[in-house]
Amino acid sequence: MVDEERWKARFRAARVSLPGWALDAPHRSTYRSNATGTWEIYAWDRTTGERRQVTDRPNGTWSGGVDPTGEWIWWFADTDGDEFGVWQRQPFGGGADEPAVPGLEPSYPSGLAVGSSGLAIIGRTGEHGTTLHLCRPGGEPETLYEHAEDAHVAGMSRDESLIAIGHSEHGDSRHMALRVVGPDGSAVADLWDGPGKGVYGAGFSPVGGDPRLLVNHERRGREELLIWDPVAGTEREIVLDLPGEVGADWYPDASALLISHSHEARDEIYRYDLGSGALERIDTPRGVIGGANVRPDGSVEFAWTSAAEPPVIRSTSGAVVLTPPGPPPPSSVPVTDVWVDGPGGRIHALVSTPLEGTGPFPAVFDVHGGPTAQDTDAFSPAVAAWVDHGFAVVQVNYRGSTGYGSQWRDALEGRVGLTELEDVKAVRDWAVDSGLADPAKLVLTGGSWGGYLTLLGLGTQPDDWTVGVAAVPVADYFAAYEDEMEGLQAFDRSLFGGSPAEVPERYRESSPLTYVDKVSAPVLILAGENDPRCPIRQIDNYLGRLTELNRPHEVYRYDAGHGSLVVEERITQFAAELSFAMKHLGMR
């Protein structure tokens, strides 16, 4: 008998994010928490220990942080999860909210940088492209940059004399370029490695007067690092003898870098001394590090988790930095790594199995979103709940996933969806042939891009799947493109090699609606009424065709956006997914 309260307790347990802090007042921190049952922004005074809830909205708040002075907390105010809104601010000690920059109309956000003087650079996207605004305290917003293609605020130097812009003026938002400008918009320098090789700003030096910008690049086919001085026109590549991919952040005095190393779905962190070139591993448990920051005293705070163990915020000092209220969530099972030969190379998959019984198990293929993301050895209440109910869970880092090099990440371009599904099927066939999975009880599921692949897989591989559960999916790619937020339109043009008007056959080949008449498995679709990423109209188009074809299906609609920040709503959604799958597999 499954303990229903046990799996729900994993969702309900309070969690906290890695705290950030004010550069000029590092005792003033902010973090996110679901302690009230909804994810909101919190303030934490490390001197007094006082914590308080900053935002309180029916559908939660995700984006926010404290400015360098520690005087103001900025947070993004959208409407019921539609991601369209304005920046608000509130005094750190509490008080009324106010528009952070009066005069800026609502938009989709495209980056934010705030300086100690109160100068802010705000990125906005809309139907005419991207604009970046320079906003001086008490002054009218000034347009610093505008372009029809996708762009974002990539950083501002500590002395506020340089602003970094990530842009895709060359037409490829998946492989961006960098430009550094002055506050008057005058160009200082440009950095671009050419077609198919992106460069991304990872932060200016935290020292005033130091113009160096930390940059992620992929010149050798994977994410690596360089330090760019746009004023002097110099570059210093940081070449590390580490497999996988690396990112970094600065130490407070800019004498070293905090290196994050991702390899085969797990993470490590290192200190890299910029003077000597010495690389020193920082001791952390095996698992996933969901972020790390260096405190002024040199200690490192990091968010750690594994598939078996819930997240915790730790410090290299040995302390647990921030503990959420209430009991911790129940633990789960560890994952097993599997490598399967596929049509494009070896595929890495993570497998979770019930503690009791032997295969073949009913199996859930939980396909990650993105597609520029990856499944990792991280705690997931949903995966744990499937396992509790007797399912094996298989997570596939298909071509298109990050973490395995640029070629693997970009292999889906031009043949979107179909490439990823070839890898999912290769792992599916391995799972059946190895005796892990019962071929008569296979659930294909995922959210966002994973929901898209679920619907596409049910139509292109109808004999391989027993049940489908798709959350906030792309279902009709032509209508999705028409209605989605502008930044995603640019992403799709880069992915497909053009718009639907320019390359209609590619969109048609990759659209789930094209294959809806082939779908035979029962399918549940979960959809957010206010979703700007996978809008509701294109999902309704797909549901309408299922109805016309008399295919077994159900829909769960909710009044939020691309997912929910409300814990009880998330439990309700997962209960619907679980109940649907078990009913159609004859398990209840």
Side-chain angles (χ1 to χ4, degrees):
M1 177 71 82
V2 174
D3 185 345
E4 292 292 308
E5 290 308 310
R6 178 178 171 83
W7 74 258
K8 292 178 181 178
R10 296 196 188 95
F11 285 91
R12 291 191 176 118
R15 294 174 60 179
V16 293
S17 70
L18 181 71
W21 54 81
L23 291 178
D24 301 331
H27 63 288
R28 291 190 163 184
S29 287
T30 54
Y31 61 92
R32 292 188 304 272
S33 178
N34 65 344
T36 64
T38 302
W39 284 95
E40 298 287 0
I41 308 297
Y42 287 74
W44 175 29
D45 188 317
R46 295 182 182 229
T47 302
T48 65
E50 179 184 359
R51 304 187 208 175
R52 71 173 187 88
Q53 185 176 336
V54 175
T55 55
D56 185 6
R57 306 192 306 146
N59 283 298
T61 311
W62 192 252
S63 297
V66 61
D67 78 345
T69 69
E71 295 299 317
W72 294 96
I73 295 171
W74 288 55
W75 58 276
F76 191 75
D78 66 354
T79 303
D80 293 332
D82 67 358
E83 301 180 46
F84 191 83
V86 298
W87 286 99
Q88 296 277 94
R89 69 177 190 173
Q90 182 185 124
F92 186 87
D97 293 317
E98 63 181 43
V101 181
L104 281 184
E105 294 296 318
S107 69
Y108 295 114
S110 195
L112 171 72
V114 182
S116 295
S117 74
L119 177 69
I121 311 298
I122 296 179
R124 303 166 68 246
T125 62
E127 60 180 331
H128 300 299
T130 303
T131 55
L132 272 58
H133 299 272
L134 185 142
C135 308
R136 304 178 193 274
E140 292 294 318
E142 306 167 29
T143 300
L144 180 72
Y145 172 90
E146 57 184 331
H147 201 277
E149 293 291 345
D150 194 33
H152 63 270
V153 180
M156 180 165 61
S157 63
R158 192 74 166 97
D159 63 8
E160 305 175 14
S161 66
L162 302 171
I163 296 112
I165 301 168
H167 70 84
S168 56
E169 294 174 7
H170 52 288
D172 182 1
S173 69
R174 281 173 56 84
H175 306 92
M176 284 195 157
L178 279 169
R179 177 172 301 144
V180 172
V181 302
D184 61 355
S186 60
V188 175
D190 283 273
L191 184 65
W192 185 43
D193 285 344
K197 296 181 179 180
V199 288
Y200 305 92
F204 280 100
S205 163
V207 175
D210 184 349
R212 294 177 298 167
L213 178 65
L214 189 59
V215 175
N216 296 106
H217 71 87
E218 46 187 316
R219 293 173 179 175
R220 286 176 286 274
R222 63 187 183 118
E223 287 192 13
E224 295 182 275
L225 303 165
L226 63 83
I227 295 175
W228 179 37
D229 186 332
V231 175
T234 60
E235 298 176 22
R236 174 185 173 183
E237 289 196 19
I238 308 297
V239 180
L240 304 174
D241 186 19
L242 295 172
E245 300 182 344
V246 296
D249 199 357
W250 297 92
Y251 269 69
D253 62 359
S255 67
L257 299 178
L258 179 65
I259 303 293
S260 58
H261 173 228
S262 174
H263 181 55
E264 297 183 353
R266 294 169 184 86
D267 303 320
E268 299 174 316
I269 52 177
Y270 294 81
R271 184 185 186 277
Y272 177 81
D273 188 279
L274 288 171
S276 67
L279 183 68
E280 177 186 0
R281 187 182 184 278
I282 297 171
D283 186 37
T284 58
R286 177 176 167 84
V288 172
I289 297 171
N293 295 323
V294 186
R295 291 290 292 166
D297 64 2
S299 63
V300 177
E301 295 179 353
F302 58 97
W304 177 87
T305 182
S306 73
E309 297 298 327
V312 62
I313 309 300
R314 296 185 175 182
S315 169
T316 52
S317 69
V320 173
V321 175
L322 195 59
T323 303
S331 60
S332 186
V333 299
V335 295
T336 300
D337 296 82
V338 172
W339 292 89
V340 176
D341 289 331
R346 294 176 71 225
I347 307 160
H348 188 198
L350 303 173
V351 177
S352 305
T353 54
L355 290 174
E356 298 180 359
T358 58
F361 298 103
V364 171
F365 283 73
D366 188 4
V367 187
H368 72 71
T372 47
Q374 63 172 310
D375 282 316
T376 60
D377 182 8
F379 189 77
S380 167
V383 170
W386 287 115
V387 171
D388 283 353
H389 286 83
F391 290 86
V393 178
V394 184
Q395 298 171 288
V396 182
N397 282 326
Y398 50 76
R399 279 172 290 169
S401 303
T402 55
Y404 302 87
S406 303
Q407 184 177 357
W408 189 263
R409 182 200 63 207
D410 293 343
L412 75 168
E413 293 180 3
R415 194 168 175 269
V416 179
L418 304 173
T419 298
E420 302 97 289
L421 285 168
E422 287 179 347
D423 292 349
V424 174
K425 177 173 171 51
V427 177
R428 177 251 181 230
D429 291 347
W430 163 84
V432 170
D433 293 344
S434 68
L436 170 71
D438 182 343
K441 295 182 178 180
L442 298 181
V443 180
L444 183 60
T445 185
S448 190
W449 197 263
Y452 159 64
L453 292 178
T454 294
L455 295 185
L456 189 63
L458 295 178
T460 60
Q461 303 167 349
D463 297 331
D464 291 327
W465 308 105
T466 319
V467 175
V469 178
V472 290
V474 175
D476 171 1
Y477 227 125
F478 288 91
Y481 183 89
E482 290 176 1
D483 296 351
E484 68 191 5
M485 56 204 305
E486 286 76 8
L488 287 179
Q489 289 179 337
F491 181 89
D492 283 339
R493 290 193 297 273
S494 299
L495 200 58
F496 283 89
S499 69
E502 294 166 327
V503 288
E505 286 307 313
R506 289 186 180 180
Y507 282 84
R508 187 171 293 109
E509 183 183 35
S510 295
S511 178
L513 189 60
T514 301
Y515 309 96
V516 66
D517 61 325
K518 304 295 185 184
V519 173
S520 57
V523 57
L524 169 67
I525 297 179
L526 299 93
E529 296 282 359
N530 311 314
D531 191 344
R533 297 174 181 268
C534 297
I536 195 69
R537 180 174 70 97
Q538 53 95 27
I539 292 175
D540 284 338
N541 291 347
Y542 188 89
L543 290 168
R545 283 292 293 145
L546 286 176
T547 299
E548 291 173 5
L549 294 164
N550 199 30
R551 299 293 195 267
H553 69 279
E554 294 180 19
V555 60
Y556 179 95
R557 307 168 81 103
Y558 58 94
D559 188 20
H562 198 63
S564 178
L565 300 177
V566 179
V567 171
E568 291 304 317
E569 171 61 29
R570 185 67 192 98
I571 290 174
T572 300
Q573 291 179 21
F574 184 79
E577 297 174 17
L578 181 65
S579 176
F580 183 86
M582 295 186 73
K583 177 179 71 174
H584 288 284
L585 294 178
M587 296 174 64
R588 64 166 48 169

